[in-house]
């Protein structure tokens, strides 16, 4: 349910609500063309999969908010949320700027208590795919995203995009300090690149 009013350069949303399972609500002003937006999106108790089964959901109890301000070609966003991921509590916070071609990430934090992940950089999807990112992790458990691959990772990964004949090539460097994965010790240093044709490793050391 919801109510909105449209003007020449903006749409005022009194409140738009979608329920079940969980709840989504949107309110504020959406700017058209150069007009500024001021939108607040909130969600409560979202889950995945959407259909309840006897198996606990991969993502459960996801609640939070997203605030977007400014014109479409230079908006600011701020996100806060909490959930359970594979039955473990997580908190996520992010802020940055964006436009229709991509996002600039001033900060993106994932707190898994005791582990954490922190990222900065930019991601573009137009005119070509681009990912220039730095991600640092401390005591981070990859089992949050892939069941059975539990561990505690310490390290940094960075990516940088270059264009070759108009095709994006994303170079990467990964350095893992002494960590554990599936109960085994792990130290890793790797570098290479990836493009639509595949992955090329320049160095790999365990």
């Amino acid at each position: 349910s919801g109510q909105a009013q449209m003007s020449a350069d903006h749409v005022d949303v009194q409140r738009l609500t979608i329920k079940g399972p969980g709840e989504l609500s949107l309110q504020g002003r959406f700017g058209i063309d150069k007009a500024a937006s001021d939108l607040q999106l909130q969600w409560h108790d979202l889950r995945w999969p959407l259909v309840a089964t006897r198996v606990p959901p991969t993502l459960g109890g996801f609640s939070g908010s997203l605030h977007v301000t400014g014109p479409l070609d230079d908006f600011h966003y701020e996100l806060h949320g909490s959930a359970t991921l594979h039955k473990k509590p997580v908190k996520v916070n992010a802020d940055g700027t964006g436009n229709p071609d991509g996002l600039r990430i001033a900060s993106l934090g994932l707190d898994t208590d005791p582990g954490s992940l922190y990222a900065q950089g930019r991601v573009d999807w137009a005119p070509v795919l681009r990912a220039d990112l730095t991600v640092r992790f401390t005591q981070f458990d990859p089992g949050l995203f892939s069941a059975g691959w539990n561990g505690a990772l310490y390290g940094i990964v960075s990516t940088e995009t270059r264009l070759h004949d108009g095709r994006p090539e994303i170079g990467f460097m990964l350095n893992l300090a002494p960590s554990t994965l599936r109960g085994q010790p792990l130290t890793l240093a790797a570098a290479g690149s990836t493009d639509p044709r595949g992955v090329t490793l320049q160095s790999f050391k365990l």
Side-chain angles (χ1 to χ4, degrees), residues 83-127:
T84 57
L85 195 56
H86 289 294
K87 298 189 293 184
K88 296 182 179 180
V90 298
K91 293 181 180 180
V92 60
N93 295 282
D95 73 271
T97 59
N99 58 46
D101 294 336
L103 293 176
R104 305 298 180 268
I105 303 169
S107 67
L108 169 62
L110 188 65
D111 184 357
T112 61
D113 190 21
S116 64
L117 178 151
Y118 180 79
Q120 290 180 303
R122 61 181 287 188
V123 178
D124 294 336
W125 42 83

Side-chain angles (χ1 to χ4, degrees), residues 43-65:
W43 56 92
H44 177 70
D45 203 24
L46 301 185
R47 56 172 290 150
W48 185 262
L50 295 175
V51 179
T53 66
R54 293 182 179 179
V55 179
T58 302
L59 176 71
F62 187 27
S63 301
S65 65

Side-chain angles (χ1 to χ4, degrees), residues 132-147:
D132 299 332
L133 298 167
T134 300
V135 183
R136 295 177 173 86
F137 32 91
T138 303
Q139 203 173 341
F140 185 73
D141 183 6
L144 288 169
F145 298 101
S146 182

Side-chain angles (χ1 to χ4, degrees), residues 71-203:
L72 187 60
D73 60 358
D74 186 20
F75 62 84
H76 177 267
Y77 65 90
E78 185 174 343
L79 180 147
H80 304 283
S82 62
T84 57
L85 195 56
H86 289 294
K87 298 189 293 184
K88 296 182 179 180
V90 298
K91 293 181 180 180
V92 60
N93 295 282
D95 73 271
T97 59
N99 58 46
D101 294 336
L103 293 176
R104 305 298 180 268
I105 303 169
S107 67
L108 169 62
L110 188 65
D111 184 357
T112 61
D113 190 21
S116 64
L117 178 151
Y118 180 79
Q120 290 180 303
R122 61 181 287 188
V123 178
D124 294 336
W125 42 83
V128 296
L129 179 65
R130 184 181 190 98
D132 299 332
L133 298 167
T134 300
V135 183
R136 295 177 173 86
F137 32 91
T138 303
Q139 203 173 341
F140 185 73
D141 183 6
L144 288 169
F145 298 101
S146 182
W149 288 85
N150 299 93
L153 302 183
Y154 299 80
I156 182 171
V157 58
S158 60
T159 65
E160 183 179 4
T161 307
R162 298 182 177 91
L163 294 180
H164 294 279
D165 298 326
R167 294 195 307 267
E169 179 183 280
I170 301 176
F172 63 86
M173 294 183 63
L174 169 64
N175 286 285
L176 286 183
S179 304
T180 60
L181 184 64
R182 304 187 77 176
Q184 300 297 318
L186 175 66
T187 303
L188 174 65
S193 62
T194 179
D195 60 28
R197 297 170 295 181
V199 178
T200 300
L201 278 177
Q202 298 169 345
S203 63

